[in-house]
Amino acid sequence: MSMHDQPAVLPMKSPLHDFLAPDSIAIVGASADPTKRGYKAMIGLIKDGYGGAIYPINPKTDMILGVKTCASLDAVPGPVDLALICTPASTVPGILAECGRKGVKGAIVLASGFKETGAEGAKLEQQVLDAARAGGVRVIGPNTSGMFNLHKKVNLLALANVKAGDIGFISQSGNMLLSLVLEAEHNGHVGFSTYVGPGNQTDIGFNDYLRYLGEDPQTKVATLYVEGFRDGQRFLEVAREISATKPVVVYKSGSTEQGQKAASSHTGSLAGSYAMTVDLLRQVGVSVVQHSNEILPVAEGLGLMQKAPGKRVAVIADGGGQATIASDRLAEAGLELAELSEHTRRRLGEILLPQASLVNPVDVAGSSDANPALLAECMEIVAEDDNVDSIFLVGMFGGYSIRFAEDLLGGEMRGAESMIELARRVDKAVVVYSLYAPIKPPALRRLHEAGLPVYTSIEHAVRVLAALGERGIYLKSRAVASHAPAVVPSEDMKAMFARAQNEGRDLFEFEAKTLLRAHGVDVAPEVIVRSADELPAVAAQFGEQALVMKVVSKDILHKSDAGGVKLNLRGEADLHQAFDSIMSSCRAYDPNADIRGALVTPMAKKGTEVIIGVSRDPIFGPVLMFGLGGIFVEILKDVAFRAIPLSQLDAESMVDQLKARKVLEGARGEPPADKAALVDLLLKVSGIVSAYPQISELDLNPVIAYPDGYAAVDARIIINRSVL
């Protein structure tokens, strides 16, 4: 029963439980000045009725807000789980040393003035980390807005009118928290479990907080506002584990160059490629929202419904205009209008007026004006259709008694109860949009109180439906996902890397292709020609095939610019002329170039160009990129990214993700490309990069895709100089 499915609770492994749900708190820098954080934190704890011990640390006064102070942490009479440090940045290393002596488990450092300000700040931040590690103290921040745990009544931000609930929120922006708190207050039904501002993530990073939320029984959905990850690889590992048990929602800022610069100046974080980050997060089951005003609606909807079986949506509407709008938004979000069965349409026709539209979207066309409970009957009928994964009610439900007649309120309330019972009974998502949602009429309040997501915006409702469908599909695919067998590195290939390392160069093209060929990649035959004397044998070997000749030199990276590429060569005479031309042009281009000869290989026949690239991202580690070649990659940037290693489903989804995938499917009468062969190639490249840490970058550009396979035409591998 999706409406009341509870996420599985993971066993407690995170050390953060010891201080994010503290039984004792020290306020270092507690103050009687209402403008100071040390005062506000005291107020938050006292007003919310925190049941643990509170220790204000202030050597200049005996009492703050009726609580006896201590001159120092050393003077605290009992154990301290959490210290809130409200003092200036320069004092923090010394205070953390005190925390270590006292056995404090965790400390929140509010002060700014660390690595986000430059070199001196970075030096001070390192001192903070050294002091924390020496004393065994975990640090939240610095440069953090703080934290709360509302189920524990720990409200160190002293926020008013924020209710306890099941959304855990980690945010690098304190204002984003405030925005969500105000939005939740207006919503009236949404509450929070734990909030933390990670700040500079000097010690504790997003992956640590995500594990805590994943294990926290009070949290049903983990939600994060991220400017930059510190350890992206570790975050992906944790997210893959947590997303299997409960939804994870991420809003990643820095989607533009300007946004990335702002993120760097704000928290000192490295904001990588936005498109890449989004792809990698989705790869591990994270629901990524692209607009900040979607964060709370999506978190609420996923918390309530958890998932939908798929992306096929049945729309029940009481107005044609909004039915059309809903259909447009669903299509834009990658959702499908479910094709209702003949049986379903017949049953709908039995209860609706003749003018009603029985195809999806179902427009009841006035049938519910005198009986709003009829909408619930329609929802029940479509819910029984095997072609339907989610039911979307669109229109004015909840407002019939306001718009038409007061005596319709009873019918609306009966309809609401039927919808609630339906949502509890079926394993399908039920989502409601109503124009009357902003004024919260009784029927909509009843739906919300019972745990049905009700939205004031069609766009928000559709984004929730998309997140539910994506999560359901991910969980099903995860159950059958398999990785390709691991590639065993060859001693010959390791020796080849070692030779290149010793010579201070990257792999030659023919060496890169030798590596690919050694591990099952289809690469055309090729010959290295070191002198003109070898050309007759080469001509005899390839016969009448059209050939290409390319210079082999570690010093000439852009071969065409140097005149180092000749195409459509046939026979010995062409080869001689091309060889002489390449040698003379390349020596003129760079007289000091180390030229090892020329590479001769057959010209690839016409097909669809694709590009495959691998780079080692400083945050996320090895990442594979796939896209169509030409303008699709250079101008449209129509590419897909996945973290290595790839599963079979990862590779398949990369091909399916491309906006221009119809080119691969055979546009304008062209035969379709061999998708299975491309998927196999992606998996082979993933395996090769996993097996050889010597590879820093790999570029196959182009690969020519055919109806029956592919040809890797050009290959470039950059060596990681730090790996022997």
Side-chain angles (χ1 to χ4, degrees):
M1 297 186 295
S2 61
M3 188 171 151
H4 288 294
D5 281 349
Q6 295 296 318
V9 178
L10 294 172
M12 300 294 187
K13 294 190 288 187
S14 170
L16 274 60
H17 297 283
D18 293 338
F19 53 91
L20 289 182
D23 292 323
S24 53
I25 302 174
I27 313 295
V28 183
S31 173
D33 181 346
T35 66
K36 302 292 187 182
R37 281 297 303 270
Y39 177 90
K40 292 183 183 300
M42 295 280 294
I43 286 288
L45 292 171
I46 293 166
K47 284 182 66 175
D48 279 25
Y50 173 62
I54 304 173
Y55 300 112
I57 310 298
N58 188 322
K60 297 180 180 179
T61 184
D62 293 332
M63 196 81 67
I64 295 176
L65 293 169
V67 182
K68 181 173 173 48
T69 64
C70 298
S72 67
L73 275 168
D74 292 332
V76 171
V80 176
D81 292 336
L82 177 67
L84 177 68
I85 301 175
C86 308
T87 56
S90 60
T91 68
V92 172
I95 292 170
L96 286 173
E98 274 192 75
C99 289
R101 291 195 299 271
K102 182 64 183 173
V104 176
K105 295 167 183 171
I108 301 172
V109 180
L110 298 177
S112 57
F114 293 92
K115 71 178 180 183
E116 77 281 0
T117 64
E120 284 302 310
K123 184 177 177 182
L124 181 59
E125 189 163 326
Q126 185 60 49
Q127 293 171 13
V128 165
L129 184 58
D130 292 343
R133 287 182 173 163
V137 184
R138 300 306 304 268
V139 173
I140 296 171
N143 189 25
T144 172
S145 55
M147 64 83 67
F148 63 60
N149 181 336
L150 299 183
H151 294 278
K152 192 74 174 177
K153 300 188 184 301
V154 176
N155 186 353
L156 294 177
L157 283 79
L159 289 171
N161 302 320
V162 55
K163 63 186 285 187
D166 52 28
I167 295 176
F169 188 44
I170 311 297
S171 173
Q172 282 182 289
S173 164
N175 278 352
M176 183 56 69
L177 167 70
L178 185 58
S179 171
L180 262 62
V181 165
L182 293 170
E183 191 179 339
E185 183 180 354
H186 178 74
N187 176 293
H189 298 280
V190 176
F192 300 90
S193 53
T194 296
Y195 161 78
V196 182
N200 291 3
Q201 303 179 75
T202 304
D203 173 30
I204 305 172
F206 274 111
N207 53 291
D208 303 300
Y209 294 117
L210 179 57
R211 175 165 296 286
Y212 166 81
L213 293 178
E215 295 172 1
D216 178 26
Q218 305 290 355
T219 298
K220 284 178 68 176
V221 54
T223 309
L224 296 84
Y225 169 86
V226 179
E227 292 175 353
F229 291 102
R230 186 190 66 193
D231 185 348
Q233 277 186 287
R234 183 67 183 134
F235 183 84
L236 294 179
E237 291 171 10
V238 174
R240 190 187 301 276
E241 180 182 351
I242 301 305
S243 67
T245 63
K246 65 177 69 172
V248 178
V249 176
V250 170
Y251 175 86
K252 172 69 173 75
S253 66
S255 60
T256 64
E257 183 180 351
Q258 290 78 10
Q260 289 175 20
K261 288 177 181 175
S264 180
S265 62
H266 181 44
T267 63
S269 299
L270 174 61
S273 157
Y274 177 78
M276 180 195 75
T277 302
V278 168
D279 276 0
L280 302 193
L281 292 173
R282 287 179 170 153
Q283 182 184 1
V284 295
V286 170
S287 299
V288 180
V289 295
Q290 304 212 320
H291 302 286
S292 60
N293 64 357
E294 297 172 345
I295 298 173
L296 196 69
V298 170
E300 179 195 22
L302 283 168
L304 293 172
M305 294 275 118
Q306 291 292 306
K307 65 181 186 299
K311 294 188 175 185
R312 301 169 301 174
V313 181
V315 177
I316 306 295
D318 55 17
Q322 288 195 312
T324 302
I325 293 170
S327 300
D328 289 342
R329 299 293 86 80
L330 290 167
E332 291 167 358
L335 296 163
E336 304 170 26
L337 282 173
E339 187 169 339
L340 302 179
S341 69
E342 180 61 37
H343 176 68
T344 297
R345 294 198 300 272
R346 186 170 64 251
R347 290 183 63 198
L348 289 169
E350 290 169 357
I351 65 170
L352 297 177
L353 295 173
Q355 64 265 33
S357 170
L358 305 182
V359 296
N360 196 12
V362 176
D363 178 6
V364 301
S367 303
S368 57
D369 288 359
N371 178 20
L374 192 67
L375 294 170
E377 292 183 51
C378 293
M379 294 167 72
E380 290 171 359
I381 290 171
V382 299
E384 293 178 16
D385 194 319
D386 290 339
N387 295 330
V388 173
D389 298 316
S390 299
I391 303 101
F392 185 21
L393 178 62
V394 173
M396 55 181 291
F397 184 76
Y400 281 79
S401 59
I402 299 169
R403 176 71 179 86
F404 296 126
E406 289 184 11
D407 62 7
L408 294 177
L409 178 60
E412 288 199 287
M413 297 305 291
R414 287 192 301 276
E417 294 300 332
S418 296
M419 293 175 199
I420 293 164
E421 193 277 329
L422 171 67
R424 288 172 176 159
R425 187 178 74 245
V426 301
D427 188 26
K428 300 183 181 186
V430 178
V431 174
V432 176
Y433 157 73
S434 173
L435 354 139
Y436 284 87
I439 64 173
K440 302 174 184 175
L444 297 183
R445 285 204 307 271
R446 176 67 187 118
L447 292 180
H448 229 152
E449 288 162 1
L452 263 72
V454 178
Y455 296 102
T456 60
S457 152
I458 288 178
E459 287 73 16
H460 284 172
V462 167
R463 185 65 197 90
V464 171
L465 286 162
L468 291 165
E470 287 164 4
R471 176 162 170 76
I473 290 169
Y474 171 78
L475 291 174
K476 280 192 289 190
S477 67
R478 177 189 172 97
V480 299
S482 60
H483 285 82
V487 169
V488 178
S490 151
E491 291 302 320
D492 288 346
M493 296 301 103
K494 288 195 286 186
M496 182 177 71
F497 276 108
R499 284 194 300 274
Q501 286 271 37
N502 292 335
E503 295 177 16
R505 61 173 175 81
D506 298 312
L507 294 190
F508 292 125
E509 179 183 342
F510 74 89
E511 291 175 320
K513 289 181 176 177
T514 298
L515 174 68
L516 296 170
R517 193 182 292 113
H519 294 291
V521 174
D522 289 337
V523 180
E526 57 195 6
V527 175
I528 298 296
V529 178
R530 291 176 174 82
S531 74
D533 294 342
E534 301 170 21
L535 292 174
V538 173
Q541 176 180 339
F542 289 112
E544 293 303 312
Q545 292 184 76
L547 303 174
V548 58
M549 182 182 291
K550 296 184 261 187
V551 67
V552 176
S553 172
K554 68 181 179 64
D555 300 315
I556 300 176
L557 299 180
H558 303 290
K559 303 180 184 72
S560 296
D561 293 347
V565 179
K566 299 296 179 183
L567 306 176
N568 287 311
L569 309 176
R570 295 179 187 272
E572 186 177 338
D574 278 3
L575 290 174
H576 273 286
Q577 185 177 357
F579 186 81
D580 291 342
S581 175
I582 286 174
M583 292 302 125
S584 60
S585 296
C586 288
R587 288 193 179 103
Y589 179 81
D590 183 353
N592 297 316
D594 178 8
I595 299 175
R596 302 290 180 93
L599 179 70
V600 180
T601 187
M603 290 278 292
K605 64 186 183 197
K606 185 174 177 291
T608 303
E609 289 191 11
V610 300
I611 179 172
I612 295 173
V614 174
S615 62
R616 293 191 184 270
D617 184 80
I619 303 298
F620 291 104
V623 174
L624 191 149
M625 181 196 78
F626 173 75
L628 269 68
I631 64 164
F632 294 106
V633 68
E634 292 174 8
I635 299 173
L636 304 181
K637 294 181 170 58
D638 184 16
V639 295
F641 298 92
R642 297 293 182 272
I644 288 173
L646 270 64
S647 71
Q648 175 87 15
L649 285 163
D650 288 335
E652 291 173 354
S653 68
M654 291 186 85
V655 181
D656 293 337
Q657 178 182 322
L658 299 183
K659 299 181 186 71
R661 63 186 176 276
K662 291 189 184 305
V663 175
L664 289 172
E665 292 167 357
R668 297 190 175 182
E670 293 293 324
D674 187 342
K675 177 182 173 181
L678 290 175
V679 167
D680 181 67
L681 175 58
L682 292 170
L683 291 171
K684 283 187 166 71
V685 170
S686 170
I688 291 168
V689 173
S690 296
Y692 294 95
Q694 299 94 330
I695 298 174
S696 176
E697 295 179 32
L698 180 150
D699 192 25
L700 305 185
N701 183 23
V703 173
I704 311 294
Y706 301 122
D708 56 347
Y710 60 84
V713 174
D714 201 354
R716 184 167 179 241
I717 290 178
I718 307 298
I719 288 180
N720 183 351
R721 304 276 184 243
S722 63
V723 177
L724 298 177

